[in-house]
Amino acid sequence: MNSELLERFLRFQEQIRHLSPASIRAYRNDLEDFLAHIDQHGLALNEVEREEIRSWIVARRSAGMSARSTNRRLSSLRMLYRFLVRELGYSHNPADGLRSAKLEKPLPKVLQPDEMRQLLQVPGGDFAALRDTALMEMLYASGCRISELAHINLKHIDVKKKAMQVRGKGDRDRIVFFGQPASEALHAYMAVRNARLSMLGRTSQMALFINQRGGRLTARGAAGIIKKRVAQAQLSRDVSPHQFRHSFATHLLENGADIRAVQEMLGHAKLSATQIYTHVGIGTLRAV
């Protein structure tokens, strides 16, 4: 019975809330772990009380699970019981009232301006070099997430205004801007992009960034490109695609940009999410 209720909950998240496959997998992993715990004690979901959930959390923490992972599992359990209360008439949510573990928020890792310049100097003038330069320039100039940039089509860009329409988290649209270096890199890339698509007979392709075969460049493929270019630039540390976004925000604030303008460009719903970049700037100042 417990497993049937779990499947019903997951179908709701997938078909009604339209969560991604990755989110569904995360819910499944978290909740199957809890079901295994209560099965050992012969309990059904409607028999669980707060103390049983607390014992599950304590057991996971004692086994070495991080506070972040523990909080995520507790959050998944709250969502399951909210569904059961709303849809099946359960009397209460035993996960409500349980406090999440406190987390220390690490400051975002950013590239220094000279490191960014070093990374953006991609050698060569072939398709791959021009595409990779445009990709990294646009990431840094717009502050987009790698997944957002991978979904951009030609119709979303206004080259004259140096503006781009982006669909972010929660299906919220926003307008981002890019400067002259990114514009020049994009112009150079578009010439070789169009020539390659013509050669491949795929001129109907609307994706901005494409792979060698003319298909849309995926977020994973873009991340692989960045990893390759970081190694080629011989930077002394690993660089993730998200560090372009962190660097974008930090460098803007360090150079006097208004924090609310940066919030809009990042697509943050809350200003508190953007304020963390002010702490990065203070840390940099202290180091200097």
Side-chain angles (χ1 to χ4, degrees):
M1 184 64 178
N2 288 344
S3 59
E4 292 176 8
L5 292 174
L6 172 59
E7 293 303 324
R8 186 168 172 178
F9 167 75
L10 294 176
R11 282 197 299 272
F12 177 84
Q13 302 303 321
E14 181 179 18
Q15 297 173 9
I16 305 301
R17 295 189 63 209
H18 304 292
L19 295 190
S20 68
S23 296
I24 299 299
R25 284 194 300 271
Y27 270 128
R28 181 181 294 280
N29 291 338
D30 294 345
L31 296 172
E32 283 182 346
D33 181 59
F34 179 71
L35 294 189
H37 174 81
I38 63 174
D39 284 346
Q40 291 176 352
H41 296 80
L43 294 173
L45 281 166
N46 62 348
E47 299 171 325
V48 171
E49 294 298 338
R50 186 178 300 174
E51 287 305 316
E52 195 61 46
I53 298 174
R54 186 175 282 117
S55 71
W56 171 58
I57 294 298
V58 169
R60 293 299 168 264
R61 293 289 284 147
S62 299
M65 181 175 288
S66 69
R68 188 176 299 277
S69 295
T70 304
N71 288 349
R72 191 195 70 209
R73 294 196 177 197
L74 182 57
S75 176
S76 297
L77 194 60
R78 287 194 191 101
M79 291 298 294
L80 171 63
Y81 272 105
R82 285 173 191 169
F83 170 80
L84 295 175
V85 168
R86 184 178 63 251
E87 300 295 326
L88 299 183
Y90 276 34
S91 61
H92 67 290
N93 185 341
D96 279 346
L98 287 173
R99 292 184 179 180
S100 299
K102 288 187 177 181
L103 299 176
E104 287 188 7
K105 288 189 176 181
L107 292 178
K109 296 179 180 179
V110 304
L111 289 162
Q112 296 303 315
D114 59 336
E115 292 178 313
M116 185 63 75
R117 282 191 290 270
Q118 183 180 347
L119 183 55
L120 293 174
Q121 292 175 355
V122 178
D126 58 355
F127 167 79
L130 294 177
R131 179 202 58 194
D132 298 355
T133 300
L135 174 70
M136 293 191 292
E137 285 279 8
M138 291 296 286
L139 274 177
Y140 180 46
S142 67
C144 286
R145 300 174 179 90
I146 190 72
S147 58
E148 294 171 344
L149 200 58
H151 282 92
I152 292 295
N153 291 330
L154 297 180
K155 66 179 182 180
H156 298 137
I157 294 185
D158 188 326
V159 177
K160 291 184 178 179
K161 293 183 178 179
K162 299 185 179 67
M164 182 167 61
Q165 181 180 330
V166 177
R167 175 152 293 184
K169 288 185 176 180
D171 287 338
R172 292 191 299 269
D173 289 336
R174 69 183 190 276
I175 301 297
V176 300
F177 303 93
F178 50 93
Q180 191 61 28
S183 178
E184 292 174 358
L186 190 62
H187 180 76
Y189 159 66
M190 287 301 295
V192 294
R193 171 196 178 277
N194 296 340
R196 177 166 289 269
L197 289 176
S198 179
M199 179 185 69
L200 295 171
R202 302 191 63 175
T203 53
S204 62
Q205 174 62 266
M206 291 292 102
L208 174 60
F209 288 105
I210 62 172
N211 57 32
Q212 295 279 1
R213 298 179 299 279
R216 181 183 295 274
L217 184 66
T218 64
R220 178 176 291 185
I225 287 170
I226 290 171
K227 183 177 182 179
K228 171 187 171 183
R229 294 303 181 183
V230 168
Q232 189 178 55
Q234 298 181 334
L235 293 184
S236 58
R237 54 173 163 153
D238 292 334
V239 177
S240 70
H242 217 62
Q243 281 177 251
F244 283 79
R245 181 172 164 88
H246 294 326
S247 302
F248 160 85
T250 303
H251 296 168
L252 278 176
L253 290 170
E254 285 179 345
N255 285 278
D258 180 79
I259 190 170
R260 290 198 176 274
V262 177
Q263 176 192 0
E264 288 293 327
M265 288 185 281
L266 289 173
H268 285 162
K270 296 181 179 179
L271 184 63
S272 58
T274 314
Q275 285 175 327
I276 191 170
Y277 295 108
T278 64
H279 298 299
V280 177
I282 291 170
T284 302
L285 183 60
R286 184 182 296 116
V288 171

